[in-house]
Amino acid sequence: MSISSDAPTGPSSPKSSRKELPDVGNPAADKIFSGISLAAGILILVVLAAVAIFLVAQALPVFTADSEDLSQGSFLKYIYPLVIGTLIASAIALLLATPVGIGVALYISHYAPKKISQAVGYVIDLLAAIPSVIFGAWGASVLAPKIVPFYDWLATYFGFIPIFEGPASQTGKTILTAGIVLGIMILPIITAMCREIFVQTPLLQQEAALGLGATRWEMIRMTVFPFARTGIVSSVMLALGRALGETMAVTLVLASGPLTASLIKSGNQTFASEIALNFPEAYGIRMSELIAAGLVLFVITLVVNVIARMITSRYKEFSGAN
């Protein structure tokens, strides 16, 4: 029996049995990309520092001015209602948008048929692309008048609760209306981010839970939510940052008025609406006062982002430990 000449007759050497891998590394390109990334990071820090320096420099006259030169006698009296109004509107938006956003994301990722999930996903993405001024115009011209009867009902039957104390605003332009509009605006952020995290849950874990007899909801509780916990927190904090700084929508929906505990009365201004309404005609110490308000909003937003980073890091460590 003859042996073909091209058949191996013994153990081949590493050079003959191994194909040479192409040289995929490019040190020059790596250095260029690393330099561009470093420059982008430094640029962000420089811009952030420049904004902070500008705000501090322009706000300094407020802290050294006489009390009679300020609009409310002291900067603390002026800024306190704005802090409360901003936090109330943002809290309402989060309370409304978070459960709805997570629920819609779960429906898209684990319940809806593929065609329906794609259609709903497109609608959510389209909602995120609508300018904020459109939301504000819709809230002021459509939502606010339509919701007045509901506010009257709340004042009649739940007026003993301070947040629903009447008489209700007959224009519908209240902090609750602003919170509802903000909740609709931040809904796509929470939904889109949660959807992307939910679909990345390891399939083997989900199949294992179902194989052990878990229902779909039990499987989601045991596998999807623990895996997506960090992403959910990140999406909520990102939405909170959007709600804190929103300007046009809140400006169009809110009516001017003093700080009040009732959510269905006119009043409770936010930082963004206060600055947008008064900045065009401001000058001198009044302009410095508005810039100082912007500085406070800048600090609040920075603190929120730092807290969000701490929470997500803690959850990552917890997940890694488990």
Side-chain angles (χ1 to χ4, degrees):
M1 181 177 178
S2 63
I3 301 176
S4 175
S5 61
D6 55 353
T9 56
S12 59
S13 64
K15 291 183 179 179
S16 60
S17 63
R18 209 168 39 194
K19 293 182 179 180
E20 291 190 8
L21 297 175
D23 186 11
V24 295
N26 190 338
D30 291 342
K31 288 183 178 180
I32 294 174
F33 180 76
S34 176
I36 294 175
S37 301
L38 179 61
I42 294 175
L43 179 62
I44 292 175
L45 293 177
V46 170
V47 171
L48 189 64
V51 171
I53 292 172
F54 167 79
L55 291 175
V56 172
Q58 295 295 320
L60 279 178
V62 173
F63 304 105
T64 58
D66 295 331
S67 59
E68 58 268 15
D69 295 332
L70 301 178
S71 58
Q72 298 295 328
S74 71
F75 182 68
L76 183 60
K77 289 182 179 179
Y78 170 70
I79 212 69
Y80 174 74
L82 300 180
V83 173
I84 300 300
T86 301
L87 294 180
I88 289 175
S90 301
I92 293 172
L94 284 185
L95 288 175
L96 294 176
T98 300
V100 176
I102 294 175
V104 173
L106 275 178
Y107 175 75
I108 294 174
S109 61
H110 285 82
Y111 286 94
K114 186 175 181 180
K115 290 184 178 180
I116 297 179
S117 65
Q118 289 179 347
V120 175
Y122 292 150
V123 171
I124 294 297
D125 294 337
L126 180 62
L127 195 64
I130 299 176
S132 60
V133 67
I134 302 300
F135 283 103
W138 171 80
S141 60
V142 178
L143 178 62
K146 297 292 185 182
I147 208 170
V148 169
F150 176 66
Y151 288 166
D152 291 333
W153 180 83
L154 287 175
T156 302
Y157 294 99
F158 297 95
F160 60 91
I161 303 176
I163 60 174
F164 298 134
E165 182 182 358
S169 170
Q170 296 306 301
T171 64
K173 294 185 176 182
T174 67
I175 195 70
L176 182 55
T177 306
I180 294 173
V181 173
L182 284 178
I184 297 173
M185 292 182 61
I186 67 176
L187 179 63
I189 299 176
I190 299 176
T191 302
M193 292 188 64
C194 289
R195 175 189 62 191
E196 296 302 321
I197 297 296
F198 290 162
V199 298
Q200 294 177 19
T201 305
L203 188 60
L204 289 178
Q205 294 183 13
Q206 301 181 57
E207 292 176 345
L210 294 173
L212 292 173
T215 63
R216 184 174 295 187
W217 170 243
E218 290 173 338
M219 177 272 294
I220 290 173
R221 279 194 303 124
M222 291 187 296
T223 62
V224 177
F225 282 161
F227 176 82
R229 181 165 45 193
T230 301
I232 293 174
V233 174
S234 300
S235 67
V236 171
M237 301 308 286
L238 182 62
L240 176 59
R242 169 74 187 277
L244 287 172
E246 178 54 41
T247 303
M248 287 307 302
V250 178
T251 303
L252 292 174
V253 170
L254 273 182
S256 60
L259 177 66
T260 175
S262 178
L263 303 180
I264 59 177
K265 289 182 178 180
S266 298
N268 294 327
Q269 291 296 312
T270 66
F271 281 107
S273 61
E274 172 72 9
I275 295 172
L277 290 173
N278 295 281
F279 197 84
E281 299 177 357
Y283 63 93
I285 194 65
R286 178 57 175 156
M287 179 174 289
S288 297
E289 196 174 34
L290 294 174
I291 294 177
L295 175 62
V296 176
L297 178 60
F298 178 82
V299 172
I300 292 175
T301 307
L302 187 63
V303 170
V304 166
N305 283 286
V306 170
I307 293 175
R309 179 64 63 179
M310 293 173 59
I311 293 174
T312 53
S313 299
R314 187 174 181 179
Y315 278 145
K316 285 180 181 179
E317 293 175 2
F318 179 80
S319 301
N322 289 341

